[in-house]
Amino acid sequence: GAWWQGGFDRAFGSPQQTGDVAGELLSFGAIVGVHVYSVPLPRCYGEKLHQVVVLQTQSDGGAFLQLDFNPVLGLSYSRARQISVRCSALVKAVRLTQPLDSSRVAAALARWTERGRQPHYSDNVAFAEDILKACGEFSTFQGHFVEVQRRLKFWQAEAKRERDRHA
């Protein structure tokens, strides 16, 4: 199995939808804020290395779209009136200086739903980075992502050593 397959549903629950998330985002209208949360990876001893991006929109008085990319399960999302990211730590919330046309982010989402390559343990972070680039806010979070990538690499190397030791 994949490096974290099997533990995902237990760690994150299962209320999320899959499908045309880009179309869903376009129905929201403009994006006015972006929030990034770190949550623990299954089998990672509480290390908050998984990234969840929440977009705040002008629709419905400020609805939120929670985006979560799992390298094994793909992209999932949920639409809500308030943010609810379980077992998370808020990295940062940014209010955009001006509303952003959601089509830029929808294009980035479409690229991730059409991917056809093997999953990589760092895909979740790359997904979050791409969404923030589309929002024009990557530089605000860049230091955080550099640190998460470093910690992910270390964790992956440790997991490989442990597997090799038991092989």
Side-chain angles (χ1 to χ4, degrees):
W3 66 279
W4 66 341
Q5 196 167 15
F8 186 80
D9 289 334
R10 287 188 301 281
F12 297 102
S14 57
Q16 300 179 349
Q17 306 167 4
T18 58
D20 185 19
V21 65
E24 180 83 11
L25 177 60
L26 289 172
S27 74
F28 271 101
I31 297 167
V32 295
V34 62
H35 308 238
V36 174
Y37 291 84
S38 288
V39 298
L41 285 175
R43 303 184 197 140
C44 197
Y45 313 107
E47 280 273 357
K48 292 183 175 171
L49 301 176
H50 187 83
Q51 308 302 295
V52 175
V53 178
V54 179
L55 302 175
Q56 183 177 1
T57 69
Q58 288 181 326
S59 166
D60 300 328
F64 296 94
L65 187 65
Q66 179 176 316
L67 305 170
D68 191 353
F69 187 83
N70 177 298
V72 176
L73 302 175
L75 178 61
S76 60
Y77 69 96
S78 61
R79 182 179 191 158
R81 287 269 199 206
Q82 61 186 24
I83 298 173
S84 176
V85 183
R86 293 186 345 195
C87 304
S88 66
L90 175 65
V91 173
K92 190 172 211 165
V94 175
R95 180 103 175 138
L96 302 180
T97 55
Q98 57 185 334
L100 174 71
D101 181 353
S102 59
S103 63
R104 287 180 55 188
V105 178
L109 288 170
R111 286 191 299 274
W112 280 91
T113 58
E114 297 165 0
R115 295 169 58 98
R117 66 177 186 77
Q118 285 293 101
H120 188 268
Y121 70 88
S122 67
D123 281 350
N124 167 261
V125 177
F127 168 78
E129 290 174 342
D130 284 353
I131 298 304
L132 290 164
K133 287 174 185 172
C135 290
E137 290 294 333
F138 176 71
S139 63
T140 305
F141 296 88
Q142 188 170 9
H144 166 73
F145 289 125
V146 167
E147 177 61 17
V148 169
Q149 289 283 20
R150 185 192 65 74
R151 290 172 39 215
L152 264 175
K153 223 179 228 183
F154 175 79
W155 180 80
Q156 183 66 12
E158 287 294 311
K160 183 181 181 330
R161 278 194 285 282
E162 186 70 19
R163 282 191 309 270
D164 291 348
R165 197 168 48 124
H166 289 79

